[in-house]
Amino acid sequence: MEGRIFGFIIWCVFGIIFICLAVFSWFSKNPVGFWANADGCEVRDIKKYNHALSGLFGLFGIVTIALGIPLLAGQNSAWILLSVMGVMIETIIAMAVYTLVIEKKYRK
């Protein structure tokens, strides 16, 4: 039982990191970058852009934590596929939302 809880806690830490990133981006005065090791685009309204990105990061963190719940079912549970596939799909959706909605709306 301890291994399941420990695994879920580690999973939740990654979700909490994204929630902390959401809080940071909400209060940031400069445009927050989405892609790693790349400069962000120039934006028209930095505050609204950061708030939109904050919402995306916050939702990503909450859904990541929710997708970790099957880890509590045990090591040999087939429900772990829901967690793994869910995070992959969630990541693709987040990239699409950023590219097609947020960046398009706030790009200079």
Side-chain angles (χ1 to χ4, degrees):
M1 182 68 176
E2 296 83 25
R4 291 184 237 174
I5 294 173
F6 186 66
F8 180 69
I9 289 171
I10 291 173
W11 188 279
C12 288
V13 166
F14 287 104
I16 291 169
I17 288 171
F18 278 100
I19 293 171
C20 291
L21 184 59
V23 172
F24 169 77
S25 63
W26 182 272
F27 294 108
S28 180
K29 303 283 187 224
N30 300 322
V32 177
F34 180 80
W35 303 108
N37 298 325
D39 293 331
C41 63
E42 290 189 32
V43 295
R44 287 179 285 164
D45 189 351
I46 294 174
K47 186 175 182 179
K48 288 183 181 179
Y49 170 79
N50 284 345
H51 287 184
L53 208 54
S54 175
L56 181 65
F57 286 144
L59 184 63
F60 188 89
I62 291 168
V63 172
T64 299
I65 292 171
L67 285 171
I69 292 173
L71 290 172
L72 297 173
Q75 182 178 4
N76 294 326
S77 174
W79 290 105
I80 191 68
L81 290 174
L82 178 67
S83 298
V84 174
M85 296 301 290
V87 168
M88 288 174 28
I89 293 168
E90 173 192 26
T91 303
I92 292 168
I93 291 171
M95 290 187 296
V97 166
Y98 175 75
T99 304
L100 299 174
V101 178
I102 296 174
E103 189 177 34
K104 185 181 284 187
K105 184 175 182 180
Y106 295 106
R107 183 179 213 113
K108 236 180 201 179

